[in-house]
Amino acid sequence: MQKIFSLVMMMCLGTVAVMAQKPAAAKQPACTDAKVHGKLVSIDKELESKQYKLVYFSSENIPSKAMVPFKFEVKQGETYQVNYVVGANASKYQLTVVDEQVKEVIKEKGKTVGNEQMTVVSKQFTASSTGVYMLVFSQQTKAGNCVGISVLKK
């Protein structure tokens, strides 16, 4: 019994040692476009005044064509609002939300406004089941570009 315990402990310590040596993934620099950040904050504040609660918020520089995913928990029957603010340097964007059965709840794809203006995409859905949904967003751009994304629930 003691040999088994020792073997399990050595395996655990070996795993911890290996994990500690893996380099951390490079984090994208924070968004420096005050207009994008400010627009998203403004949209969220308005929704919060209507009894929505912030579930997720991020504004950052995203490389062109990078697919950025994140998971969030939903409760059946609750309404969710997704806000996506795309900076002025992007030419195209994509926003997708899928449920646990990988059924698309939101799929928004298009060209940006252009003319050095940011594009705002706001979509709402009601969760059909309780669980974890996945949101994936991306943009196409020739220059550095800031995006902001938030999820609120009611």
Side-chain angles (χ1 to χ4, degrees):
M1 183 71 161
Q2 192 173 19
K3 286 184 180 182
I4 293 173
F5 179 75
S6 297
L7 181 60
V8 169
M9 287 301 293
M10 285 177 41
M11 288 172 46
C12 288
L13 289 173
T15 302
V16 169
V18 168
M19 295 298 284
Q21 293 175 0
K22 287 185 179 180
K27 182 155 173 51
Q28 293 299 320
C31 175
T32 56
D33 187 337
K35 290 179 184 177
V36 168
H37 184 83
K39 182 68 174 176
L40 187 59
V41 168
S42 171
I43 292 168
D44 292 347
K45 289 286 183 197
E46 182 180 333
L47 287 167
E48 286 174 331
S49 74
K50 297 176 182 174
Q51 308 307 311
Y52 279 82
K53 293 183 180 166
L54 191 64
V55 174
Y56 179 83
F57 181 95
S58 177
S59 62
E60 57 190 289
N61 291 320
I62 304 296
S64 184
K65 298 181 183 176
M67 303 294 281
V68 180
F70 74 89
K71 297 177 189 176
F72 61 102
E73 292 185 26
V74 298
K75 189 181 268 186
Q76 183 177 9
E78 288 187 341
T79 301
Y80 294 83
Q81 170 99 18
V82 178
N83 301 307
Y84 184 32
V85 180
V86 185
N89 292 326
S91 59
K92 294 179 183 178
Y93 66 87
Q94 183 171 339
L95 172 69
T96 306
V97 175
V98 295
D99 65 12
E100 289 184 312
Q101 287 74 40
V102 195
K103 180 180 145 199
E104 290 177 347
V105 177
I106 294 175
K107 182 166 180 124
E108 182 73 24
K109 189 177 185 179
K111 294 185 177 185
T112 56
V113 175
N115 299 325
E116 297 188 14
Q117 296 180 24
M118 60 189 143
T119 300
V120 177
V121 178
S122 292
K123 294 291 178 182
Q124 204 173 68
F125 69 92
T126 301
S128 59
S129 62
T130 298
V132 178
Y133 282 27
M134 175 76 74
L135 187 149
V136 180
F137 61 98
S138 67
Q139 66 173 342
Q140 186 172 333
T141 180
K142 291 183 180 174
N145 197 55
C146 183
V147 300
I149 191 144
S150 65
V151 178
L152 296 98
K153 73 176 179 177
K154 187 169 187 179

PDB file of all heavy atoms in Angstrom, residues 55 70-78 80 97-103 105 125-135 151 153:
ATOM      1  N   VAL A  55     -21.770  39.741 -16.958  1.00  0.00           N
ATOM      2  CA  VAL A  55     -21.249  38.383 -16.822  1.00  0.00           C
ATOM      3  C   VAL A  55     -19.794  38.331 -17.278  1.00  0.00           C
ATOM      4  O   VAL A  55     -18.972  37.633 -16.693  1.00  0.00           O
ATOM      5  CB  VAL A  55     -22.094  37.393 -17.660  1.00  0.00           C
ATOM      6  CG1 VAL A  55     -21.491  36.001 -17.657  1.00  0.00           C
ATOM      7  CG2 VAL A  55     -23.525  37.354 -17.169  1.00  0.00           C
ATOM      8  N   PHE A  70     -14.374  31.992 -25.419  1.00  0.00           N
ATOM      9  CA  PHE A  70     -14.510  31.901 -23.965  1.00  0.00           C
ATOM     10  C   PHE A  70     -15.855  31.276 -23.636  1.00  0.00           C
ATOM     11  O   PHE A  70     -16.798  31.327 -24.418  1.00  0.00           O
ATOM     12  CB  PHE A  70     -14.315  33.251 -23.265  1.00  0.00           C
ATOM     13  CG  PHE A  70     -15.442  34.214 -23.419  1.00  0.00           C
ATOM     14  CD1 PHE A  70     -16.499  34.234 -22.520  1.00  0.00           C
ATOM     15  CD2 PHE A  70     -15.449  35.121 -24.458  1.00  0.00           C
ATOM     16  CE1 PHE A  70     -17.540  35.131 -22.668  1.00  0.00           C
ATOM     17  CE2 PHE A  70     -16.484  36.021 -24.607  1.00  0.00           C
ATOM     18  CZ  PHE A  70     -17.533  36.021 -23.711  1.00  0.00           C
ATOM     19  N   LYS A  71     -15.909  30.635 -22.471  1.00  0.00           N
ATOM     20  CA  LYS A  71     -17.118  29.956 -22.021  1.00  0.00           C
ATOM     21  C   LYS A  71     -17.804  30.804 -20.959  1.00  0.00           C
ATOM     22  O   LYS A  71     -17.149  31.516 -20.207  1.00  0.00           O
ATOM     23  CB  LYS A  71     -16.767  28.609 -21.395  1.00  0.00           C
ATOM     24  CG  LYS A  71     -16.134  27.630 -22.338  1.00  0.00           C
ATOM     25  CD  LYS A  71     -15.770  26.373 -21.586  1.00  0.00           C
ATOM     26  CE  LYS A  71     -14.943  25.444 -22.438  1.00  0.00           C
ATOM     27  NZ  LYS A  71     -14.505  24.256 -21.701  1.00  0.00           N
ATOM     28  N   PHE A  72     -19.131  30.695 -20.911  1.00  0.00           N
ATOM     29  CA  PHE A  72     -19.874  31.338 -19.844  1.00  0.00           C
ATOM     30  C   PHE A  72     -21.102  30.510 -19.518  1.00  0.00           C
ATOM     31  O   PHE A  72     -21.659  29.845 -20.387  1.00  0.00           O
ATOM     32  CB  PHE A  72     -20.238  32.791 -20.186  1.00  0.00           C
ATOM     33  CG  PHE A  72     -21.117  32.961 -21.392  1.00  0.00           C
ATOM     34  CD1 PHE A  72     -22.474  33.206 -21.245  1.00  0.00           C
ATOM     35  CD2 PHE A  72     -20.601  32.890 -22.677  1.00  0.00           C
ATOM     36  CE1 PHE A  72     -23.293  33.366 -22.354  1.00  0.00           C
ATOM     37  CE2 PHE A  72     -21.399  33.062 -23.789  1.00  0.00           C
ATOM     38  CZ  PHE A  72     -22.756  33.297 -23.627  1.00  0.00           C
ATOM     39  N   GLU A  73     -21.485  30.530 -18.245  1.00  0.00           N
ATOM     40  CA  GLU A  73     -22.627  29.753 -17.791  1.00  0.00           C
ATOM     41  C   GLU A  73     -23.924  30.502 -18.049  1.00  0.00           C
ATOM     42  O   GLU A  73     -23.976  31.721 -17.904  1.00  0.00           O
ATOM     43  CB  GLU A  73     -22.491  29.436 -16.304  1.00  0.00           C
ATOM     44  CG  GLU A  73     -21.363  28.479 -16.016  1.00  0.00           C
ATOM     45  CD  GLU A  73     -21.306  28.057 -14.558  1.00  0.00           C
ATOM     46  OE1 GLU A  73     -22.362  28.088 -13.878  1.00  0.00           O
ATOM     47  OE2 GLU A  73     -20.215  27.694 -14.115  1.00  0.00           O
ATOM     48  N   VAL A  74     -24.940  29.738 -18.440  1.00  0.00           N
ATOM     49  CA  VAL A  74     -26.272  30.307 -18.675  1.00  0.00           C
ATOM     50  C   VAL A  74     -27.302  29.507 -17.892  1.00  0.00           C
ATOM     51  O   VAL A  74     -27.065  28.358 -17.532  1.00  0.00           O
ATOM     52  CB  VAL A  74     -26.643  30.321 -20.176  1.00  0.00           C
ATOM     53  CG1 VAL A  74     -25.681  31.177 -20.974  1.00  0.00           C
ATOM     54  CG2 VAL A  74     -26.706  28.918 -20.740  1.00  0.00           C
ATOM     55  N   LYS A  75     -28.434  30.148 -17.648  1.00  0.00           N
ATOM     56  CA  LYS A  75     -29.535  29.492 -16.961  1.00  0.00           C
ATOM     57  C   LYS A  75     -30.758  29.554 -17.872  1.00  0.00           C
ATOM     58  O   LYS A  75     -31.058  30.609 -18.442  1.00  0.00           O
ATOM     59  CB  LYS A  75     -29.814  30.195 -15.638  1.00  0.00           C
ATOM     60  CG  LYS A  75     -30.790  29.456 -14.740  1.00  0.00           C
ATOM     61  CD  LYS A  75     -31.049  30.216 -13.459  1.00  0.00           C
ATOM     62  CE  LYS A  75     -30.077  29.744 -12.397  1.00  0.00           C
ATOM     63  NZ  LYS A  75     -30.375  30.341 -11.076  1.00  0.00           N
ATOM     64  N   GLN A  76     -31.425  28.436 -18.009  1.00  0.00           N
ATOM     65  CA  GLN A  76     -32.588  28.332 -18.883  1.00  0.00           C
ATOM     66  C   GLN A  76     -33.604  29.438 -18.574  1.00  0.00           C
ATOM     67  O   GLN A  76     -33.910  29.718 -17.426  1.00  0.00           O
ATOM     68  CB  GLN A  76     -33.249  26.973 -18.730  1.00  0.00           C
ATOM     69  CG  GLN A  76     -34.431  26.757 -19.657  1.00  0.00           C
ATOM     70  CD  GLN A  76     -35.020  25.365 -19.512  1.00  0.00           C
ATOM     71  OE1 GLN A  76     -34.672  24.612 -18.620  1.00  0.00           O
ATOM     72  NE2 GLN A  76     -35.914  25.017 -20.416  1.00  0.00           N
ATOM     73  N   GLY A  77     -34.079  30.085 -19.636  1.00  0.00           N
ATOM     74  CA  GLY A  77     -35.095  31.117 -19.515  1.00  0.00           C
ATOM     75  C   GLY A  77     -34.552  32.522 -19.290  1.00  0.00           C
ATOM     76  O   GLY A  77     -35.294  33.489 -19.436  1.00  0.00           O
ATOM     77  N   GLU A  78     -33.266  32.644 -18.933  1.00  0.00           N
ATOM     78  CA  GLU A  78     -32.695  33.978 -18.736  1.00  0.00           C
ATOM     79  C   GLU A  78     -32.302  34.576 -20.080  1.00  0.00           C
ATOM     80  O   GLU A  78     -31.897  33.870 -21.004  1.00  0.00           O
ATOM     81  CB  GLU A  78     -31.481  33.931 -17.808  1.00  0.00           C
ATOM     82  CG  GLU A  78     -31.852  33.661 -16.365  1.00  0.00           C
ATOM     83  CD  GLU A  78     -30.667  33.770 -15.410  1.00  0.00           C
ATOM     84  OE1 GLU A  78     -29.506  33.699 -15.848  1.00  0.00           O
ATOM     85  OE2 GLU A  78     -30.927  33.915 -14.203  1.00  0.00           O
ATOM     86  N   TYR A  80     -29.855  36.973 -22.348  1.00  0.00           N
ATOM     87  CA  TYR A  80     -28.453  37.405 -22.395  1.00  0.00           C
ATOM     88  C   TYR A  80     -28.258  38.381 -23.544  1.00  0.00           C
ATOM     89  O   TYR A  80     -28.851  38.217 -24.604  1.00  0.00           O
ATOM     90  CB  TYR A  80     -27.522  36.192 -22.559  1.00  0.00           C
ATOM     91  CG  TYR A  80     -27.553  35.298 -21.344  1.00  0.00           C
ATOM     92  CD1 TYR A  80     -28.552  34.341 -21.189  1.00  0.00           C
ATOM     93  CD2 TYR A  80     -26.622  35.441 -20.329  1.00  0.00           C
ATOM     94  CE1 TYR A  80     -28.619  33.546 -20.062  1.00  0.00           C
ATOM     95  CE2 TYR A  80     -26.672  34.652 -19.201  1.00  0.00           C
ATOM     96  CZ  TYR A  80     -27.673  33.706 -19.069  1.00  0.00           C
ATOM     97  OH  TYR A  80     -27.740  32.932 -17.936  1.00  0.00           O
ATOM     98  N   VAL A  97     -22.106  32.379 -31.006  1.00  0.00           N
ATOM     99  CA  VAL A  97     -22.392  31.779 -29.707  1.00  0.00           C
ATOM    100  C   VAL A  97     -23.036  30.429 -29.973  1.00  0.00           C
ATOM    101  O   VAL A  97     -23.961  30.339 -30.776  1.00  0.00           O
ATOM    102  CB  VAL A  97     -23.341  32.654 -28.855  1.00  0.00           C
ATOM    103  CG1 VAL A  97     -23.708  31.946 -27.556  1.00  0.00           C
ATOM    104  CG2 VAL A  97     -22.723  34.009 -28.568  1.00  0.00           C
ATOM    105  N   VAL A  98     -22.508  29.379 -29.317  1.00  0.00           N
ATOM    106  CA  VAL A  98     -23.072  28.034 -29.467  1.00  0.00           C
ATOM    107  C   VAL A  98     -23.438  27.478 -28.097  1.00  0.00           C
ATOM    108  O   VAL A  98     -22.806  27.791 -27.097  1.00  0.00           O
ATOM    109  CB  VAL A  98     -22.115  27.059 -30.199  1.00  0.00           C
ATOM    110  CG1 VAL A  98     -21.889  27.485 -31.627  1.00  0.00           C
ATOM    111  CG2 VAL A  98     -20.807  26.912 -29.472  1.00  0.00           C
ATOM    112  N   ASP A  99     -24.481  26.625 -28.087  1.00  0.00           N
ATOM    113  CA  ASP A  99     -24.890  25.994 -26.838  1.00  0.00           C
ATOM    114  C   ASP A  99     -24.131  24.685 -26.645  1.00  0.00           C
ATOM    115  O   ASP A  99     -23.220  24.364 -27.410  1.00  0.00           O
ATOM    116  CB  ASP A  99     -26.411  25.807 -26.801  1.00  0.00           C
ATOM    117  CG  ASP A  99     -26.936  24.843 -27.854  1.00  0.00           C
ATOM    118  OD1 ASP A  99     -26.146  24.109 -28.494  1.00  0.00           O
ATOM    119  OD2 ASP A  99     -28.166  24.830 -28.054  1.00  0.00           O
ATOM    120  N   GLU A 100     -24.519  23.921 -25.630  1.00  0.00           N
ATOM    121  CA  GLU A 100     -23.798  22.676 -25.313  1.00  0.00           C
ATOM    122  C   GLU A 100     -23.946  21.601 -26.382  1.00  0.00           C
ATOM    123  O   GLU A 100     -23.129  20.705 -26.474  1.00  0.00           O
ATOM    124  CB  GLU A 100     -24.274  22.127 -23.961  1.00  0.00           C
ATOM    125  CG  GLU A 100     -23.805  22.988 -22.815  1.00  0.00           C
ATOM    126  CD  GLU A 100     -24.190  22.416 -21.462  1.00  0.00           C
ATOM    127  OE1 GLU A 100     -25.371  22.041 -21.288  1.00  0.00           O
ATOM    128  OE2 GLU A 100     -23.308  22.365 -20.594  1.00  0.00           O
ATOM    129  N   GLN A 101     -24.974  21.712 -27.212  1.00  0.00           N
ATOM    130  CA  GLN A 101     -25.149  20.759 -28.315  1.00  0.00           C
ATOM    131  C   GLN A 101     -24.490  21.283 -29.598  1.00  0.00           C
ATOM    132  O   GLN A 101     -24.723  20.760 -30.672  1.00  0.00           O
ATOM    133  CB  GLN A 101     -26.638  20.492 -28.574  1.00  0.00           C
ATOM    134  CG  GLN A 101     -27.325  19.638 -27.524  1.00  0.00           C
ATOM    135  CD  GLN A 101     -27.591  20.386 -26.231  1.00  0.00           C
ATOM    136  OE1 GLN A 101     -27.965  21.559 -26.250  1.00  0.00           O
ATOM    137  NE2 GLN A 101     -27.370  19.731 -25.112  1.00  0.00           N
ATOM    138  N   VAL A 102     -23.692  22.330 -29.471  1.00  0.00           N
ATOM    139  CA  VAL A 102     -22.984  23.001 -30.558  1.00  0.00           C
ATOM    140  C   VAL A 102     -23.964  23.544 -31.599  1.00  0.00           C
ATOM    141  O   VAL A 102     -23.693  23.593 -32.785  1.00  0.00           O
ATOM    142  CB  VAL A 102     -21.899  22.094 -31.200  1.00  0.00           C
ATOM    143  CG1 VAL A 102     -20.943  22.917 -32.050  1.00  0.00           C
ATOM    144  CG2 VAL A 102     -21.098  21.347 -30.140  1.00  0.00           C
ATOM    145  N   LYS A 103     -25.125  23.938 -31.142  1.00  0.00           N
ATOM    146  CA  LYS A 103     -26.118  24.586 -31.989  1.00  0.00           C
ATOM    147  C   LYS A 103     -25.873  26.086 -31.911  1.00  0.00           C
ATOM    148  O   LYS A 103     -25.728  26.644 -30.824  1.00  0.00           O
ATOM    149  CB  LYS A 103     -27.527  24.244 -31.485  1.00  0.00           C
ATOM    150  CG  LYS A 103     -28.632  24.871 -32.285  1.00  0.00           C
ATOM    151  CD  LYS A 103     -29.981  24.475 -31.704  1.00  0.00           C
ATOM    152  CE  LYS A 103     -30.924  25.640 -31.861  1.00  0.00           C
ATOM    153  NZ  LYS A 103     -32.069  25.564 -30.996  1.00  0.00           N
ATOM    154  N   VAL A 105     -26.490  29.729 -31.530  1.00  0.00           N
ATOM    155  CA  VAL A 105     -27.503  30.568 -30.914  1.00  0.00           C
ATOM    156  C   VAL A 105     -27.431  31.962 -31.541  1.00  0.00           C
ATOM    157  O   VAL A 105     -28.447  32.591 -31.787  1.00  0.00           O
ATOM    158  CB  VAL A 105     -27.282  30.638 -29.387  1.00  0.00           C
ATOM    159  CG1 VAL A 105     -28.263  31.567 -28.711  1.00  0.00           C
ATOM    160  CG2 VAL A 105     -27.345  29.244 -28.781  1.00  0.00           C
ATOM    161  N   PHE A 125     -30.271  36.824 -26.770  1.00  0.00           N
ATOM    162  CA  PHE A 125     -30.869  35.498 -26.868  1.00  0.00           C
ATOM    163  C   PHE A 125     -31.373  35.081 -25.488  1.00  0.00           C
ATOM    164  O   PHE A 125     -30.937  35.612 -24.470  1.00  0.00           O
ATOM    165  CB  PHE A 125     -29.880  34.465 -27.421  1.00  0.00           C
ATOM    166  CG  PHE A 125     -28.736  34.131 -26.495  1.00  0.00           C
ATOM    167  CD1 PHE A 125     -28.832  33.073 -25.602  1.00  0.00           C
ATOM    168  CD2 PHE A 125     -27.571  34.876 -26.514  1.00  0.00           C
ATOM    169  CE1 PHE A 125     -27.781  32.766 -24.749  1.00  0.00           C
ATOM    170  CE2 PHE A 125     -26.511  34.574 -25.675  1.00  0.00           C
ATOM    171  CZ  PHE A 125     -26.612  33.517 -24.788  1.00  0.00           C
ATOM    172  N   THR A 126     -32.288  34.135 -25.488  1.00  0.00           N
ATOM    173  CA  THR A 126     -32.782  33.529 -24.255  1.00  0.00           C
ATOM    174  C   THR A 126     -32.258  32.100 -24.219  1.00  0.00           C
ATOM    175  O   THR A 126     -32.425  31.353 -25.191  1.00  0.00           O
ATOM    176  CB  THR A 126     -34.327  33.546 -24.207  1.00  0.00           C
ATOM    177  OG1 THR A 126     -34.749  34.915 -24.297  1.00  0.00           O
ATOM    178  CG2 THR A 126     -34.847  32.938 -22.928  1.00  0.00           C
ATOM    179  N   ALA A 127     -31.624  31.734 -23.118  1.00  0.00           N
ATOM    180  CA  ALA A 127     -31.041  30.394 -22.996  1.00  0.00           C
ATOM    181  C   ALA A 127     -32.136  29.338 -23.002  1.00  0.00           C
ATOM    182  O   ALA A 127     -33.093  29.425 -22.240  1.00  0.00           O
ATOM    183  CB  ALA A 127     -30.216  30.293 -21.718  1.00  0.00           C
ATOM    184  N   SER A 128     -31.991  28.355 -23.885  1.00  0.00           N
ATOM    185  CA  SER A 128     -32.984  27.281 -23.990  1.00  0.00           C
ATOM    186  C   SER A 128     -32.729  26.165 -22.985  1.00  0.00           C
ATOM    187  O   SER A 128     -33.595  25.327 -22.760  1.00  0.00           O
ATOM    188  CB  SER A 128     -32.990  26.711 -25.406  1.00  0.00           C
ATOM    189  OG  SER A 128     -31.712  26.214 -25.733  1.00  0.00           O
ATOM    190  N   SER A 129     -31.519  26.165 -22.400  1.00  0.00           N
ATOM    191  CA  SER A 129     -31.188  25.164 -21.390  1.00  0.00           C
ATOM    192  C   SER A 129     -30.128  25.743 -20.457  1.00  0.00           C
ATOM    193  O   SER A 129     -29.445  26.707 -20.800  1.00  0.00           O
ATOM    194  CB  SER A 129     -30.663  23.881 -22.054  1.00  0.00           C
ATOM    195  OG  SER A 129     -29.479  24.160 -22.762  1.00  0.00           O
ATOM    196  N   THR A 130     -30.002  25.160 -19.287  1.00  0.00           N
ATOM    197  CA  THR A 130     -28.978  25.567 -18.336  1.00  0.00           C
ATOM    198  C   THR A 130     -27.696  24.826 -18.685  1.00  0.00           C
ATOM    199  O   THR A 130     -27.718  23.637 -18.984  1.00  0.00           O
ATOM    200  CB  THR A 130     -29.414  25.229 -16.895  1.00  0.00           C
ATOM    201  OG1 THR A 130     -30.606  25.975 -16.615  1.00  0.00           O
ATOM    202  CG2 THR A 130     -28.345  25.576 -15.890  1.00  0.00           C
ATOM    203  N   GLY A 131     -26.566  25.533 -18.668  1.00  0.00           N
ATOM    204  CA  GLY A 131     -25.287  24.897 -18.979  1.00  0.00           C
ATOM    205  C   GLY A 131     -24.228  25.918 -19.338  1.00  0.00           C
ATOM    206  O   GLY A 131     -24.285  27.066 -18.910  1.00  0.00           O
ATOM    207  N   VAL A 132     -23.273  25.477 -20.140  1.00  0.00           N
ATOM    208  CA  VAL A 132     -22.154  26.316 -20.540  1.00  0.00           C
ATOM    209  C   VAL A 132     -22.238  26.575 -22.042  1.00  0.00           C
ATOM    210  O   VAL A 132     -22.329  25.639 -22.833  1.00  0.00           O
ATOM    211  CB  VAL A 132     -20.802  25.651 -20.193  1.00  0.00           C
ATOM    212  CG1 VAL A 132     -19.643  26.498 -20.657  1.00  0.00           C
ATOM    213  CG2 VAL A 132     -20.711  25.397 -18.691  1.00  0.00           C
ATOM    214  N   TYR A 133     -22.244  27.841 -22.408  1.00  0.00           N
ATOM    215  CA  TYR A 133     -22.235  28.232 -23.816  1.00  0.00           C
ATOM    216  C   TYR A 133     -20.842  28.718 -24.166  1.00  0.00           C
ATOM    217  O   TYR A 133     -20.076  29.121 -23.295  1.00  0.00           O
ATOM    218  CB  TYR A 133     -23.245  29.350 -24.072  1.00  0.00           C
ATOM    219  CG  TYR A 133     -24.694  28.916 -24.169  1.00  0.00           C
ATOM    220  CD1 TYR A 133     -25.175  27.784 -23.527  1.00  0.00           C
ATOM    221  CD2 TYR A 133     -25.593  29.675 -24.894  1.00  0.00           C
ATOM    222  CE1 TYR A 133     -26.503  27.409 -23.624  1.00  0.00           C
ATOM    223  CE2 TYR A 133     -26.937  29.307 -24.981  1.00  0.00           C
ATOM    224  CZ  TYR A 133     -27.378  28.174 -24.351  1.00  0.00           C
ATOM    225  OH  TYR A 133     -28.696  27.807 -24.444  1.00  0.00           O
ATOM    226  N   MET A 134     -20.519  28.692 -25.453  1.00  0.00           N
ATOM    227  CA  MET A 134     -19.213  29.139 -25.937  1.00  0.00           C
ATOM    228  C   MET A 134     -19.412  30.313 -26.878  1.00  0.00           C
ATOM    229  O   MET A 134     -20.246  30.255 -27.777  1.00  0.00           O
ATOM    230  CB  MET A 134     -18.508  28.005 -26.682  1.00  0.00           C
ATOM    231  CG  MET A 134     -17.199  28.390 -27.341  1.00  0.00           C
ATOM    232  SD  MET A 134     -15.828  28.552 -26.215  1.00  0.00           S
ATOM    233  CE  MET A 134     -15.492  26.855 -25.853  1.00  0.00           C
ATOM    234  N   LEU A 135     -18.660  31.371 -26.656  1.00  0.00           N
ATOM    235  CA  LEU A 135     -18.675  32.537 -27.532  1.00  0.00           C
ATOM    236  C   LEU A 135     -17.318  32.604 -28.224  1.00  0.00           C
ATOM    237  O   LEU A 135     -16.281  32.455 -27.570  1.00  0.00           O
ATOM    238  CB  LEU A 135     -18.923  33.809 -26.723  1.00  0.00           C
ATOM    239  CG  LEU A 135     -19.130  35.081 -27.535  1.00  0.00           C
ATOM    240  CD1 LEU A 135     -20.071  36.017 -26.788  1.00  0.00           C
ATOM    241  CD2 LEU A 135     -17.845  35.801 -27.821  1.00  0.00           C
ATOM    242  N   VAL A 151     -20.852  40.407 -22.065  1.00  0.00           N
ATOM    243  CA  VAL A 151     -22.053  39.580 -21.973  1.00  0.00           C
ATOM    244  C   VAL A 151     -22.764  40.010 -20.691  1.00  0.00           C
ATOM    245  O   VAL A 151     -22.137  40.086 -19.634  1.00  0.00           O
ATOM    246  CB  VAL A 151     -21.735  38.074 -21.928  1.00  0.00           C
ATOM    247  CG1 VAL A 151     -23.012  37.266 -21.775  1.00  0.00           C
ATOM    248  CG2 VAL A 151     -20.961  37.643 -23.151  1.00  0.00           C
ATOM    249  N   LYS A 153     -26.645  39.545 -18.433  1.00  0.00           N
ATOM    250  CA  LYS A 153     -27.833  38.690 -18.307  1.00  0.00           C
ATOM    251  C   LYS A 153     -28.924  39.423 -17.544  1.00  0.00           C
ATOM    252  O   LYS A 153     -28.669  40.334 -16.771  1.00  0.00           O
ATOM    253  CB  LYS A 153     -27.505  37.379 -17.624  1.00  0.00           C
ATOM    254  CG  LYS A 153     -27.246  37.486 -16.129  1.00  0.00           C
ATOM    255  CD  LYS A 153     -27.028  36.132 -15.524  1.00  0.00           C
ATOM    256  CE  LYS A 153     -26.745  36.258 -14.029  1.00  0.00           C
ATOM    257  NZ  LYS A 153     -26.605  34.968 -13.400  1.00  0.00           N
TER     258      LYS A 153
END
